[in-house]
Amino acid sequence: MAASKGAFAVPVHLLQRPRTPNPLYMCKRCQSSQNKPEKMKLVIRQAPRLLSELDAKGLPVPVNTPRKKDKWQGLAYPKTRIVVGIIWCGFLWYDMHNNPIDPDHPDAHLDAPSIAGQDARAKRESGVTPSSPMRLRMESFIKDQQANIVRELERIDGTRFRTDTWDRAEGGGGISCVMQEGNTFEKAGVNTSVVYGILPRSGIEKMRANHKALDLNVESLEFFASGLSLVLHPKNPMAPTVHLNYRYFETTNPDGTPSAWWFGGGTDLTPNYMFDEDAIHFHRTIKEACDSHDKSYYPRFKKWCDDYFRVKHRNESRGVGGIFFDDLDGIEQSDDAESSAMAGKDAESLFSFVQDCAKAFLPSYLPILEKRKDMPYGDVEKEWQQLRRGRYVEFNLVHDRGTAFGLNTPGARIESILMSLPLTARWQYMHEPKRGSREERLVNILKEPADWV
């Protein structure tokens, strides 16, 4: 069918706004056209008018039906759109000008979750595996060791530990297991702690002396610290006090990879009465754990322990020692032969060393405890025990770096940090042990460190 000049043909159903055939939005004529062919209706110069004959839903307005006036009809709606568009473009330009995107790090402008948040999600989604970051594997290990040690100590004492699980608002938390006035232990604590935080520039500068990998060109760094701490104070003066701590520290990049890391820790024995065989057994067990990794470990870390656990204002050692080490990151800062032996040790080998030392604790101490916990004693021995505990308190509060770090960490749990202090102690003015007594022998031994193996 021919059309006059200037006319055009268009099917009526194509004038409707919905682009896909939907019976809900089609007139009866168009619906019927889906089932049977219908002769195309020629619309001459009426298409523009028909477009305005559609209601708000896109349906044809019946003939002779008065049209409702669109509330947006006129100039108000276009003007509003123009104004909103100008404002939006202004905000977009401002953001692009003041927050340019780094082409090398296109996602850097996005708010990334903290390291604590990343770790929590990783543990929730896949648990801790051999391929997990070292900080998660260390956290898992110390919690396993805590459970093993608590179980064995409860078996010996017959008393249950009080267990407190706590969280830090800044990230992390811990488990504090404490026993007081038990059958064997007057006080015993076995704690694990996990700390996430921000290391300020002043802290970075202090640690930079021992860790050259730390970046001094930043104002702060996220850090992670975890550790297993243990102090046992038996009731019987013949049974020695023992201390253990193994820890891991890490500063992290924004993507969660470590920028610097190191291990630290050790264990030492503090007797009130000297039984040479106890010191020999304790040191021999630790030496075996060290020698399985490096023959230079035990002599080096034994000397480090003797130097560290020194009550300087008393000019005596806290006890008969053990091992102590800190800042082990495989990068040595000195040129002596002993230190160079540590160079090149990677995180995996040092983690394995720390694991074996921690696992050696129970076989190093429990035989001594079993042998001494039921020995007879009197008031003189108990009083001497209290005086020696006073020296223990002096070292912890005056010289111990771990106690100082914990007390100065924002959000720290003070009760857990001071768990290491005995339940009772004694300070007596100008006390001197009797000449030739067992008490005097101990004091003489503590003046100069001895080699026990």
Side-chain angles (χ1 to χ4, degrees), residues 160-411:
R160 298 296 299 272
F161 277 83
R162 169 180 173 173
T163 301
D164 293 328
T165 301
W166 47 276
D167 297 315
R168 294 180 72 251
E170 299 84 354
I175 305 173
S176 298
C177 300
V178 179
M179 179 192 299
Q180 294 185 146
E181 299 181 330
N183 298 313
T184 298
F185 300 106
E186 185 172 293
K187 187 178 180 184
V190 187
N191 291 353
T192 55
S193 62
V194 176
V195 176
Y196 291 87
I198 302 297
L199 189 66
R201 185 174 181 83
S202 58
I204 297 174
E205 292 173 349
K206 290 179 181 178
M207 292 183 174
R208 185 69 164 71
N210 294 321
H211 304 284
K212 302 303 182 185
L214 287 173
D215 187 3
L216 285 178
N217 298 318
V218 296
E219 291 302 317
S220 63
L221 284 171
E222 283 194 82
F223 77 85
F224 167 90
S226 64
L228 167 66
S229 299
L230 172 155
V231 178
L232 308 179
H233 295 288
K235 278 187 173 182
N236 195 314
M238 303 301 164
T241 290
V242 68
H243 158 261
L244 171 147
N245 175 271
Y246 291 104
R247 56 193 177 273
Y248 175 73
F249 190 94
E250 175 183 294
T251 59
T252 55
N253 298 311
D255 62 356
T257 58
S259 59
W261 56 267
W262 58 90
F263 290 93
T267 182
D268 64 292
L269 195 69
T270 305
N272 306 301
Y273 289 91
M274 195 66 232
F275 296 94
D276 291 10
E277 61 268 30
D278 293 351
I280 292 171
H281 170 79
F282 186 79
H283 278 264
R284 180 178 293 153
T285 306
I286 299 170
K287 183 177 184 299
E288 290 173 356
C290 292
D291 288 351
S292 65
H293 291 269
D294 193 312
K295 297 288 186 181
S296 69
Y297 280 0
Y298 173 75
R300 179 188 178 190
F301 299 152
K302 192 265 183 189
K303 182 179 184 303
W304 203 339
C305 181
D306 291 337
D307 294 340
Y308 180 79
F309 291 105
R310 189 81 180 169
V311 187
K312 298 179 178 62
H313 58 278
R314 298 285 189 178
N315 194 31
E316 65 182 33
S317 297
R318 187 173 79 171
V320 295
I323 61 170
F324 176 84
F325 55 88
D326 203 5
D327 303 320
L328 295 191
D329 58 5
I331 304 174
E332 291 302 319
Q333 309 301 327
S334 60
D335 298 328
D336 61 88
E338 288 184 346
S339 294
S340 63
M342 287 299 300
K345 302 290 186 180
D346 60 13
E348 294 298 329
S349 62
L350 292 176
F351 181 41
S352 178
F353 166 63
V354 168
Q355 287 177 303
D356 286 347
C357 287
K359 292 176 181 177
F361 168 72
L362 290 176
S364 71
Y365 181 70
L366 290 192
I368 299 173
L369 180 65
E370 296 275 18
K371 191 185 302 182
R372 309 298 174 196
K373 68 183 182 69
D374 296 321
M375 291 182 66
Y377 65 91
D379 293 340
V380 173
E381 290 79 14
K382 193 64 179 178
E383 182 180 291
W384 176 247
Q385 179 195 52
Q386 300 302 297
L387 290 169
R388 296 310 306 171
R389 284 181 177 175
R391 303 297 173 89
Y392 198 93
V393 171
E394 290 174 23
F395 175 85
N396 280 26
L397 296 183
V398 176
H399 301 297
D400 187 52
R401 287 165 48 186
T403 302
F405 175 82
L407 294 176
N408 288 285
T409 299

Side-chain angles (χ1 to χ4, degrees), residues 92-151:
L92 180 63
W93 177 88
Y94 179 84
D95 183 71
M96 293 174 64
H97 180 74
N98 291 279
N99 301 288
I101 296 177
D102 186 352
D104 296 328
H105 302 87
D107 296 330
H109 65 290
L110 301 177
D111 291 332
S114 65
I115 302 304
Q118 294 179 35
D119 287 353
R121 182 177 60 190
K123 289 187 288 187
R124 184 171 58 251
E125 294 178 352
S126 57
V128 180
T129 68
S131 61
S132 296
M134 179 59 70
R135 57 183 179 271
L136 297 186
R137 293 158 60 197
M138 181 65 174
E139 177 185 349
S140 177
F141 171 73
I142 61 177
K143 288 180 178 178
D144 288 343
Q145 286 303 298
Q146 179 188 38
N148 293 337
I149 293 171
V150 165
R151 184 167 50 251

